[in-house]
Each structure stands twice: as structure tokens, then as C-alpha cells.
Coordinates of all heavy atoms in Angstrom, one line a residue:
M256 N 0.9 -1.1 0.0 CA 0.0 0.0 -0.1 C 0.9 1.3 0.0 O 1.9 1.3 0.6 CB -0.9 0.0 1.2 CG -1.8 1.3 1.3 SD -2.8 1.2 2.7 CE -4.2 0.2 2.1
T257 N 0.4 2.2 -0.7 CA 1.2 3.6 -0.8 C 0.6 4.5 0.2 O -0.6 4.5 0.4 CB 1.0 4.1 -2.2 OG1 1.5 3.3 -3.1 CG2 1.8 5.5 -2.2
Y258 N 1.5 5.1 1.0 CA 1.0 6.0 1.9 C 1.3 7.4 1.7 O 2.3 7.8 1.1 CB 1.7 5.7 3.3 CG 1.4 4.3 3.9 CD1 2.2 3.3 3.7 CD2 0.1 4.1 4.5 CE1 1.9 2.0 4.2 CE2 -0.2 2.8 4.9 CZ 0.7 1.8 4.8 OH 0.3 0.6 5.2
K259 N 0.4 8.3 1.9 CA 0.5 9.7 1.6 C 1.4 10.4 2.6 O 2.3 11.2 2.4 CB -0.9 10.4 1.6 CG -0.9 11.8 1.3 CD -0.7 12.1 -0.2 CE -0.7 13.6 -0.6 NZ -0.5 13.9 -1.9
V260 N 1.1 10.0 4.0 CA 1.9 10.5 5.1 C 2.4 9.5 5.9 O 1.7 8.5 6.2 CB 0.9 11.6 6.0 CG1 1.7 12.0 7.2 CG2 0.3 12.6 5.1
E261 N 3.8 9.5 6.2 CA 4.3 8.6 7.0 C 5.0 9.3 8.3 O 5.8 10.1 8.0 CB 5.4 7.7 6.3 CG 4.8 6.8 5.2 CD 5.8 6.1 4.5 OE1 6.4 6.7 3.6 OE2 6.1 5.0 4.9
I262 N 4.7 8.8 9.5 CA 5.3 9.5 10.6 C 6.1 8.3 11.3 O 5.5 7.2 11.6 CB 4.2 9.9 11.6 CG1 3.4 11.0 10.9 CG2 4.8 10.5 12.9 CD1 2.1 11.3 11.6
L263 N 7.4 8.5 11.4 CA 8.3 7.4 12.0 C 9.0 7.9 13.2 O 9.9 8.8 13.2 CB 9.3 7.1 10.9 CG 8.6 6.6 9.5 CD1 9.7 6.5 8.4 CD2 7.8 5.3 9.8
E264 N 8.7 7.3 14.3 CA 9.2 7.6 15.6 C 9.4 9.0 15.9 O 10.5 9.6 16.3 CB 10.5 6.8 15.8 CG 10.4 5.3 15.6 CD 11.7 4.5 15.8 OE1 12.8 5.1 16.2 OE2 11.7 3.3 15.5
A265 N 8.4 9.8 15.7 CA 8.4 11.2 15.9 C 8.4 11.6 17.4 O 7.7 11.1 18.2 CB 7.1 11.9 15.3
T266 N 9.4 12.4 17.7 CA 9.6 12.8 19.2 C 9.8 14.3 19.2 O 10.5 14.9 18.4 CB 10.8 12.2 19.8 OG1 10.6 10.7 19.6 CG2 11.0 12.5 21.3
K267 N 8.9 14.9 20.1 CA 9.0 16.3 20.4 C 8.9 16.7 21.8 O 8.0 16.2 22.5 CB 8.0 17.2 19.5 CG 7.9 18.6 19.8 CD 9.2 19.2 19.1 CE 9.2 20.7 19.2 NZ 10.3 21.3 18.7
Q268 N 9.9 17.4 22.4 CA 9.8 17.6 23.9 C 9.9 19.1 24.1 O 10.5 19.8 23.3 CB 11.1 17.0 24.5 CG 10.9 15.5 24.8 CD 11.7 15.0 25.9 OE1 12.3 13.9 25.7 NE2 11.8 15.7 26.9
F269 N 9.3 19.5 25.1 CA 9.2 20.9 25.6 C 9.7 20.8 27.1 O 9.0 20.3 27.9 CB 7.9 21.6 25.6 CG 7.3 21.6 24.2 CD1 6.4 20.6 23.7 CD2 7.7 22.7 23.3 CE1 5.9 20.7 22.4 CE2 7.3 22.7 22.0 CZ 6.4 21.8 21.6
K270 N 11.0 21.2 27.3 CA 11.7 21.0 28.6 C 11.6 19.5 29.0 O 12.0 18.7 28.3 CB 11.2 22.1 29.6 CG 11.4 23.5 29.3 CD 11.0 24.4 30.2 CE 11.3 25.8 29.9 NZ 10.9 26.8 30.8
E271 N 11.0 19.3 30.1 CA 10.9 17.8 30.6 C 9.6 17.1 30.0 O 9.4 15.9 30.2 CB 10.8 17.7 32.1 CG 12.1 18.1 32.8 CD 12.1 19.6 33.3 OE1 11.0 20.1 33.7 OE2 13.2 20.2 33.1
T272 N 8.8 17.8 29.3 CA 7.5 17.2 28.9 C 7.6 16.7 27.5 O 8.0 17.4 26.6 CB 6.4 18.3 28.8 OG1 6.3 18.9 30.2 CG2 5.1 17.7 28.5
A273 N 7.3 15.4 27.3 CA 7.3 14.9 25.9 C 5.9 15.1 25.3 O 4.9 14.4 25.8 CB 7.6 13.3 26.1
A274 N 5.9 15.9 24.4 CA 4.6 16.1 23.6 C 4.3 14.9 22.7 O 3.2 14.5 22.5 CB 4.6 17.4 22.8
L275 N 5.4 14.4 22.1 CA 5.3 13.2 21.2 C 6.5 12.3 21.6 O 7.6 12.8 21.7 CB 5.6 13.6 19.6 CG 4.6 14.7 19.1 CD1 5.0 15.1 17.7 CD2 3.2 14.1 19.1
N276 N 6.1 11.1 21.7 CA 7.1 10.1 22.3 C 7.2 9.0 21.3 O 6.4 8.0 21.5 CB 6.9 9.8 23.7 CG 8.0 8.8 24.4 OD1 9.1 8.8 23.7 ND2 7.7 8.2 25.4
Q277 N 8.1 9.0 20.2 CA 8.3 8.0 19.2 C 7.0 7.6 18.6 O 6.6 6.4 18.6 CB 9.0 6.8 19.9 CG 10.4 7.1 20.4 CD 11.1 6.0 20.8 OE1 10.6 5.0 21.4 NE2 12.5 6.0 20.8
V278 N 6.2 8.5 18.2 CA 4.9 8.2 17.4 C 5.2 7.7 16.1 O 6.0 8.3 15.3 CB 4.1 9.5 17.4 CG1 2.8 9.2 16.5 CG2 3.8 10.0 18.8
T279 N 4.6 6.6 15.7 CA 4.6 6.1 14.3 C 3.3 5.9 13.9 O 2.4 5.4 14.6 CB 5.4 4.7 14.4 OG1 6.8 4.9 14.7 CG2 5.4 4.1 13.0
A280 N 2.9 6.4 12.7 CA 1.6 6.2 12.0 C 1.8 6.4 10.5 O 2.7 7.1 10.1 CB 0.7 7.2 12.6
K281 N 0.9 5.7 9.8 CA 0.8 5.8 8.3 C -0.6 6.1 7.8 O -1.5 5.5 8.4 CB 1.5 4.6 7.7 CG 2.9 4.3 8.0 CD 3.3 3.1 7.5 CE 4.8 2.8 7.9 NZ 5.4 1.6 7.3
F282 N -0.7 7.0 7.0 CA -2.0 7.5 6.4 C -2.0 7.2 4.9 O -1.2 7.8 4.2 CB -2.3 9.0 6.8 CG -2.2 9.2 8.2 CD1 -1.0 9.6 8.8 CD2 -3.4 8.9 9.0 CE1 -1.0 10.0 10.2 CE2 -3.2 9.2 10.4 CZ -2.1 9.7 11.0
A283 N -3.0 6.3 4.4 CA -3.1 6.1 3.0 C -3.7 7.2 2.3 O -4.5 8.0 2.8 CB -4.0 4.9 2.9
A284 N -3.4 7.4 1.1 CA -3.9 8.4 0.2 C -5.4 8.0 -0.1 O -5.7 6.9 -0.2 CB -3.1 8.5 -1.1
G285 N -6.2 9.1 -0.3 CA -7.6 8.9 -0.7 C -8.5 8.5 0.3 O -9.7 8.1 0.0
R286 N -8.1 8.7 1.6 CA -9.0 8.3 2.8 C -9.1 9.5 3.7 O -8.2 10.3 3.6 CB -8.4 7.2 3.5 CG -8.4 5.8 2.6 CD -8.0 4.7 3.4 NE -8.0 3.5 2.5 CZ -8.4 2.3 3.0 NH1 -8.6 2.2 4.3 NH2 -8.4 1.3 2.3
I287 N -10.1 9.5 4.5 CA -10.2 10.5 5.5 C -9.7 9.8 6.8 O -10.2 8.8 7.3 CB -11.6 11.0 5.7 CG1 -12.0 11.7 4.3 CG2 -11.8 11.9 6.9 CD1 -13.5 12.1 4.3
H288 N -8.8 10.5 7.6 CA -8.3 10.0 8.8 C -8.5 11.0 9.9 O -8.6 12.2 9.5 CB -6.7 9.9 8.7 CG -6.4 8.9 7.6 ND1 -6.4 7.6 7.8 CD2 -6.0 9.1 6.3 CE1 -6.0 6.9 6.7 NE2 -5.8 7.8 5.8
G289 N -8.5 10.6 11.1 CA -8.7 11.5 12.3 C -7.7 11.0 13.4 O -7.3 9.9 13.5
I290 N -7.3 11.9 14.2 CA -6.6 11.6 15.4 C -7.3 12.1 16.6 O -7.7 13.2 16.6 CB -5.2 12.4 15.3 CG1 -4.4 11.7 14.0 CG2 -4.3 12.1 16.5 CD1 -3.1 12.4 13.8
I291 N -7.5 11.3 17.6 CA -8.2 11.6 18.7 C -7.3 11.4 20.0 O -6.5 10.5 19.9 CB -9.6 10.8 18.9 CG1 -9.3 9.3 18.9 CG2 -10.6 11.2 17.8 CD1 -10.5 8.4 19.3
G292 N -7.6 12.0 21.1 CA -6.9 11.9 22.2 C -7.4 12.9 23.2 O -8.0 13.9 22.9
R293 N -6.8 12.7 24.5 CA -7.2 13.7 25.5 C -6.5 15.0 25.3 O -5.5 15.0 24.5 CB -6.7 13.0 26.9 CG -7.5 11.9 27.3 CD -7.0 11.4 28.6 NE -7.9 10.3 29.0 CZ -8.0 9.9 30.3 NH1 -7.3 10.5 31.2 NH2 -8.8 8.9 30.6
N294 N -7.0 15.9 26.1 CA -6.2 17.2 26.0 C -4.8 17.1 26.5 O -4.5 16.4 27.5 CB -6.9 18.2 27.0 CG -8.3 18.7 26.4 OD1 -8.6 18.5 25.2 ND2 -9.2 19.3 27.3
G295 N -3.9 17.7 25.8 CA -2.4 17.6 26.2 C -1.8 16.3 25.8 O -0.6 16.1 26.1
S296 N -2.5 15.5 24.8 CA -1.8 14.3 24.3 C -1.0 14.5 23.2 O -0.3 13.5 22.7 CB -3.0 13.4 24.0 OG -3.8 13.7 23.0
G297 N -0.9 15.7 22.6 CA 0.1 15.9 21.6 C -0.6 16.0 20.1 O 0.2 16.2 19.2
K298 N -1.9 16.0 20.0 CA -2.4 16.1 18.7 C -2.1 17.3 17.9 O -1.7 17.2 16.8 CB -4.0 16.0 18.8 CG -4.5 14.8 19.5 CD -6.0 14.8 19.7 CE -6.5 16.0 20.5 NZ -6.2 16.0 21.9
T299 N -2.2 18.5 18.6 CA -1.9 19.8 17.9 C -0.4 19.8 17.5 O -0.1 20.3 16.4 CB -2.3 21.0 18.7 OG1 -3.7 20.9 19.0 CG2 -2.0 22.3 18.1
V300 N 0.4 19.3 18.4 CA 1.9 19.4 18.1 C 2.1 18.5 16.9 O 2.9 18.9 16.1 CB 2.7 18.9 19.4 CG1 4.2 18.7 18.9 CG2 2.5 19.9 20.5
L301 N 1.5 17.3 16.9 CA 1.7 16.4 15.8 C 1.3 17.2 14.4 O 2.0 17.1 13.4 CB 1.0 15.2 15.9 CG 1.0 14.1 14.8 CD1 2.6 13.7 14.6 CD2 0.2 12.9 15.0
F302 N 0.1 17.7 14.4 CA -0.4 18.5 13.2 C 0.6 19.6 12.9 O 0.9 19.8 11.6 CB -1.7 18.9 13.4 CG -2.8 17.9 13.2 CD1 -3.6 17.5 14.3 CD2 -3.0 17.4 11.9 CE1 -4.6 16.5 14.1 CE2 -4.0 16.4 11.7 CZ -4.8 16.0 12.9
K303 N 1.1 20.3 13.8 CA 2.1 21.4 13.5 C 3.3 20.9 12.9 O 3.9 21.5 12.0 CB 2.3 22.3 14.8 CG 1.1 23.1 15.2 CD 1.5 23.9 16.4 CE 0.2 24.9 16.8 NZ 0.6 25.6 17.9
C304 N 3.8 19.7 13.3 CA 4.9 19.1 12.7 C 4.7 18.7 11.3 O 5.5 18.8 10.5 CB 5.5 17.9 13.6 SG 6.1 18.5 15.2
I305 N 3.5 18.1 11.1 CA 3.2 17.6 9.8 C 3.1 18.8 8.8 O 3.6 18.6 7.7 CB 1.8 16.8 9.7 CG1 1.9 15.5 10.5 CG2 1.3 16.6 8.3 CD1 0.5 14.8 10.8
C306 N 2.6 19.8 9.3 CA 2.5 21.1 8.4 C 3.8 21.9 8.3 O 3.8 22.9 7.6 CB 1.3 21.9 9.0 SG -0.3 21.2 8.7
G307 N 4.9 21.4 9.0 CA 6.1 22.1 8.8 C 6.2 23.4 9.8 O 7.1 24.2 9.6
F308 N 5.3 23.6 10.7 CA 5.3 24.7 11.6 C 6.3 24.5 12.7 O 6.7 25.5 13.5 CB 3.9 25.1 12.1 CG 2.9 25.5 11.1 CD1 1.6 25.1 11.2 CD2 3.2 26.1 9.9 CE1 0.7 25.4 10.3 CE2 2.3 26.5 9.0 CZ 1.0 26.0 9.2
M309 N 6.5 23.3 13.1 CA 7.4 22.9 14.2 C 8.4 21.8 13.6 O 7.9 21.0 12.8 CB 6.7 22.2 15.4 CG 6.0 23.2 16.3 SD 5.3 22.2 17.7 CE 4.6 23.5 18.6
Q310 N 9.5 21.7 14.2 CA 10.5 20.7 13.8 C 10.5 19.6 14.9 O 10.4 19.9 16.1 CB 11.9 21.2 13.7 CG 12.1 22.3 12.6 CD 11.9 21.6 11.2 OE1 12.5 20.6 10.9 NE2 11.2 22.2 10.3
L311 N 10.6 18.4 14.4 CA 10.7 17.3 15.4 C 12.2 17.3 16.2 O 13.1 17.8 15.5 CB 10.6 15.9 14.8 CG 9.3 15.6 14.1 CD1 9.3 14.3 13.4 CD2 8.2 15.4 15.3
D312 N 12.2 16.8 17.3 CA 13.6 16.6 18.0 C 14.2 15.4 17.4 O 15.5 15.4 17.2 CB 13.4 16.5 19.5 CG 12.8 17.7 20.1 OD1 13.0 18.9 19.6 OD2 12.1 17.7 21.1
S313 N 13.4 14.3 17.1 CA 14.0 13.2 16.4 C 12.8 12.5 15.7 O 11.7 12.8 15.9 CB 14.6 12.3 17.5 OG 13.8 11.7 18.3
G314 N 13.2 11.5 14.9 CA 12.2 10.8 14.0 C 12.0 11.6 12.7 O 12.8 12.5 12.4
S315 N 11.0 11.3 11.9 CA 10.8 11.9 10.6 C 9.3 11.8 10.3 O 8.5 11.0 10.7 CB 11.6 11.3 9.6 OG 11.2 10.0 9.3
I316 N 8.9 12.8 9.5 CA 7.5 12.8 8.9 C 7.8 13.0 7.4 O 8.6 13.8 6.9 CB 6.8 14.0 9.4 CG1 6.5 13.8 10.9 CG2 5.5 14.0 8.6 CD1 5.8 15.0 11.6
R317 N 7.2 12.1 6.5 CA 7.4 12.2 5.1 C 6.0 12.3 4.5 O 5.0 11.6 4.8 CB 8.1 10.9 4.6 CG 9.5 10.9 4.9 CD 10.3 9.9 4.2 NE 9.7 8.6 4.4 CZ 10.3 7.5 5.0 NH1 11.5 7.7 5.5 NH2 9.7 6.4 5.1
I318 N 5.8 13.2 3.5 CA 4.6 13.4 2.6 C 5.0 13.1 1.2 O 5.9 13.7 0.8 CB 4.0 14.7 2.9 CG1 3.6 14.9 4.4 CG2 2.8 14.9 2.0 CD1 3.1 16.3 4.7
D319 N 4.4 12.1 0.6 CA 4.7 11.7 -0.8 C 6.2 11.4 -0.8 O 6.8 11.7 -1.8 CB 4.3 12.8 -1.7 CG 2.8 13.0 -1.9 OD1 2.1 12.0 -1.7 OD2 2.4 14.0 -2.3
G320 N 6.7 10.8 0.2 CA 8.1 10.3 0.2 C 9.2 11.5 0.5 O 10.3 11.2 0.6
Q321 N 8.7 12.7 0.7 CA 9.6 13.8 1.0 C 9.5 14.1 2.5 O 8.5 14.3 3.1 CB 9.1 15.1 0.2 CG 9.2 14.9 -1.3 CD 8.9 16.3 -2.0 OE1 9.3 17.3 -1.7 NE2 7.8 16.2 -2.9
T322 N 10.8 14.3 3.0 CA 10.8 14.6 4.4 C 10.2 16.0 4.7 O 10.6 17.0 3.8 CB 12.3 14.6 5.0 OG1 12.7 13.2 4.8 CG2 12.3 15.0 6.4
V323 N 9.3 16.2 5.6 CA 8.7 17.5 5.8 C 9.6 18.6 6.3 O 10.4 18.3 7.3 CB 7.5 17.3 6.8 CG1 6.9 18.7 7.1 CG2 6.5 16.4 6.2
N324 N 9.5 19.7 5.7 CA 10.2 21.0 6.3 C 9.2 22.0 5.8 O 8.4 21.8 5.0 CB 11.6 21.2 5.8 CG 11.7 21.2 4.2 OD1 10.9 22.0 3.6 ND2 12.6 20.5 3.6
P325 N 9.3 23.2 6.2 CA 8.3 24.3 5.8 C 8.1 24.4 4.4 O 7.0 24.5 3.9 CB 9.0 25.5 6.5 CG 9.6 25.1 7.7 CD 10.4 23.7 7.3
A326 N 9.3 24.3 3.5 CA 9.1 24.5 2.2 C 8.3 23.4 1.5 O 7.4 23.6 0.6 CB 10.5 24.6 1.5
V327 N 8.6 22.1 1.9 CA 7.9 21.0 1.3 C 6.5 21.0 1.7 O 5.6 20.8 0.9 CB 8.5 19.6 1.8 CG1 7.7 18.4 1.5 CG2 9.9 19.4 1.3
A328 N 6.1 21.4 3.0 CA 4.7 21.4 3.4 C 3.9 22.5 2.7 O 2.8 22.2 2.3 CB 4.7 21.7 4.9
Q329 N 4.6 23.6 2.4 CA 3.9 24.7 1.7 C 3.7 24.3 0.2 O 2.6 24.4 -0.3 CB 4.7 25.9 1.7 CG 4.0 27.0 1.0 CD 4.9 28.4 1.1 OE1 6.1 28.4 1.5 NE2 4.3 29.5 0.8
N330 N 4.7 23.6 -0.3 CA 4.5 23.2 -1.7 C 3.4 22.2 -2.0 O 2.8 22.2 -3.1 CB 5.9 22.6 -2.3 CG 6.9 23.7 -2.6 OD1 6.5 24.9 -2.7 ND2 8.1 23.4 -2.6
I331 N 3.2 21.3 -1.0 CA 2.2 20.3 -1.3 C 0.9 20.6 -0.7 O -0.1 19.9 -0.7 CB 2.6 18.9 -0.6 CG1 2.9 19.0 0.8 CG2 3.9 18.4 -1.4 CD1 3.1 17.7 1.5
G332 N 0.7 21.9 -0.1 CA -0.5 22.4 0.5 C -0.8 21.9 1.9 O -2.1 21.8 2.3
A333 N 0.1 21.4 2.7 CA -0.3 20.9 3.9 C -0.5 22.1 4.9 O 0.3 23.1 4.8 CB 1.0 20.1 4.6
N334 N -1.6 22.1 5.6 CA -2.0 23.3 6.4 C -2.9 22.9 7.5 O -3.4 21.7 7.5 CB -2.6 24.3 5.4 CG -2.4 25.8 6.0 OD1 -2.2 25.9 7.2 ND2 -2.3 26.7 5.1
T335 N -3.2 23.8 8.4 CA -4.1 23.5 9.4 C -5.0 24.7 9.7 O -4.7 25.8 9.3 CB -3.3 23.0 10.7 OG1 -4.3 22.7 11.7 CG2 -2.4 24.2 11.2
L336 N -6.1 24.4 10.4 CA -7.0 25.5 10.7 C -6.7 25.9 12.2 O -6.4 25.0 13.0 CB -8.4 25.2 10.6 CG -8.9 24.9 9.1 CD1 -10.2 24.2 9.0 CD2 -8.8 26.1 8.3
P337 N -7.1 27.1 12.6 CA -6.9 27.4 14.1 C -7.8 26.7 14.8 O -9.0 26.3 14.5 CB -7.3 29.0 14.0 CG -7.8 29.3 12.7 CD -7.5 28.2 11.8
K338 N -7.5 26.4 16.0 CA -8.3 25.6 17.0 C -9.5 26.4 17.4 O -10.6 25.8 17.7 CB -7.5 25.3 18.3 CG -6.4 24.2 18.0 CD -5.6 24.0 19.2 CE -6.2 23.2 20.2 NZ -5.3 22.9 21.3
S339 N -9.4 27.7 17.4 CA -10.5 28.6 17.9 C -11.0 29.3 16.7 O -10.2 29.9 16.0 CB -10.1 29.6 19.0 OG -9.6 28.9 20.1
A340 N -12.3 29.2 16.5 CA -12.9 30.1 15.4 C -12.9 31.6 15.7 O -12.9 31.9 16.8 CB -14.3 29.6 15.1
F341 N -12.6 32.4 14.6 CA -12.7 33.8 14.9 C -13.5 34.3 13.7 O -13.5 33.8 12.6 CB -11.3 34.4 14.8 CG -10.4 34.1 13.5 CD1 -10.5 35.0 12.6 CD2 -9.7 33.1 13.4 CE1 -9.8 34.9 11.4 CE2 -9.0 32.7 12.3 CZ -9.1 33.7 11.3
F342 N -14.2 35.4 14.0 CA -15.1 36.0 13.1 C -14.7 37.5 12.8 O -14.4 38.1 13.8 CB -16.5 35.9 13.5 CG -17.0 34.5 13.7 CD1 -16.9 33.8 14.9 CD2 -17.4 33.7 12.5 CE1 -17.3 32.5 15.0 CE2 -17.7 32.4 12.7 CZ -17.6 31.7 13.9
V343 N -14.8 37.9 11.6 CA -14.6 39.3 11.3 C -15.9 40.0 11.0 O -16.8 39.4 10.3 CB -13.6 39.4 10.0 CG1 -13.5 40.8 9.6 CG2 -12.4 38.6 10.3
D344 N -16.1 41.1 11.5 CA -17.3 41.9 11.3 C -17.2 42.6 9.9 O -16.5 43.5 9.7 CB -17.5 43.0 12.4 CG -18.7 43.8 12.2 OD1 -19.4 43.6 11.3 OD2 -19.0 44.6 13.1
I345 N -17.9 42.0 9.0 CA -17.8 42.4 7.6 C -18.3 43.9 7.4 O -17.7 44.5 6.6 CB -18.5 41.5 6.7 CG1 -18.2 41.7 5.1 CG2 -20.1 41.5 6.9 CD1 -16.9 41.3 4.9
Q346 N -19.2 44.3 8.2 CA -19.7 45.6 8.1 C -18.6 46.6 8.3 O -18.5 47.6 7.7 CB -20.8 45.9 9.0 CG -21.5 47.3 8.7 CD -22.1 47.4 7.4 OE1 -22.7 46.6 6.8 NE2 -21.8 48.6 6.8
N347 N -17.7 46.4 9.4 CA -16.6 47.3 9.7 C -15.5 47.2 8.5 O -14.9 48.3 8.3 CB -15.9 46.9 11.0 CG -16.8 47.2 12.1 OD1 -17.6 48.1 12.1 ND2 -16.5 46.6 13.3
I348 N -15.4 46.2 7.9 CA -14.4 46.1 6.7 C -15.0 47.0 5.6 O -14.2 47.6 4.9 CB -14.2 44.7 6.3 CG1 -13.5 44.0 7.3 CG2 -13.5 44.6 5.0 CD1 -13.3 42.5 7.1
L349 N -16.2 46.8 5.3 CA -16.8 47.7 4.2 C -16.9 49.0 4.4 O -16.9 49.9 3.5 CB -18.3 47.1 4.0 CG -18.3 45.6 3.5 CD1 -19.8 45.2 3.3 CD2 -17.6 45.4 2.2
D350 N -16.8 49.5 5.7 CA -17.0 51.0 6.0 C -15.7 51.6 5.7 O -14.8 51.8 5.5 CB -17.4 51.1 7.5 CG -18.8 50.8 7.7 OD1 -19.5 50.8 6.6 OD2 -19.2 50.6 8.8

């Protein structure tokens, strides 16, 4: 099977706290995937690493066989939405 995204032993630490501890996962192309977990389990950190916003301390993330860095992520359109919705008052923009 061909995988669109491969995460291999991804590790990311913030001081003594391990946000990601040797995470390995593979996501097939053409499917919808989700990641669930408790608050503070590292979901957002993982997504930021996949999108190239954060660098791993060790391990690797590959998309279409290319190791993720900010340029690769941007070229393939990897992105994320903010966790909190924000709204703009369109009337103020038009004024």
C-alpha cells in the first residue's frame, strides 16, 4: 500500500514534557483520517509538525516520500486551521 503521510518515531519535547514520544503512524492516500486523544496528548503538536510549523527533535515525517520541512509542506499544501474560530465583522471592513 502507498502512504501519503508517514510518521516514523516522531519525538518532540518541551523541557521535561514529551509532547510526542516515538509516534509512528501511516496514512493512506484517498482516505479520511482522524486523530483523537485527551487534552494535552500531542495532537496539535503532531499536526504542526506535519504542516512544517514545528520541527521534530527526532524521527521523521514524510509526505509523498519527501521529508517534511516548511518549504515541502507549503509546496504540497499541508496546512491546518486554527483551534478557535474567529469572526470578522464584515460591516466594519466595508466601511
Side-chain angles (χ1 to χ4, degrees):
M256 176 178 281
T257 302
Y258 296 102
K259 182 75 172 177
V260 178
E261 295 179 275
I262 303 165
L263 305 170
E264 297 185 11
T266 300
K267 179 68 177 175
Q268 284 206 218
F269 299 99
K270 296 184 182 179
E271 294 97 34
T272 303
L275 303 174
N276 187 10
Q277 297 183 331
V278 174
T279 296
K281 296 179 181 183
F282 301 97
R286 295 181 179 216
I287 297 172
H288 301 276
I290 296 177
I291 61 172
R293 293 181 174 200
N294 289 344
S296 64
K298 301 177 301 291
T299 301
V300 172
L301 181 60
F302 280 112
K303 287 181 179 181
C304 291
I305 291 170
C306 294
F308 300 144
M309 281 185 181
Q310 296 292 316
L311 295 172
D312 295 330
S313 64
S315 66
I316 298 175
R317 291 193 301 248
I318 300 177
D319 289 334
Q321 297 180 54
T322 300
V323 170
N324 63 46
V327 169
Q329 182 179 13
N330 286 341
I331 63 169
N334 210 331
T335 184
L336 296 172
K338 289 173 79 172
S339 300
F341 60 92
F342 301 94
V343 176
D344 184 356
I345 193 70
Q346 187 60 43
N347 287 339
I348 293 173
L349 296 175
D350 289 341

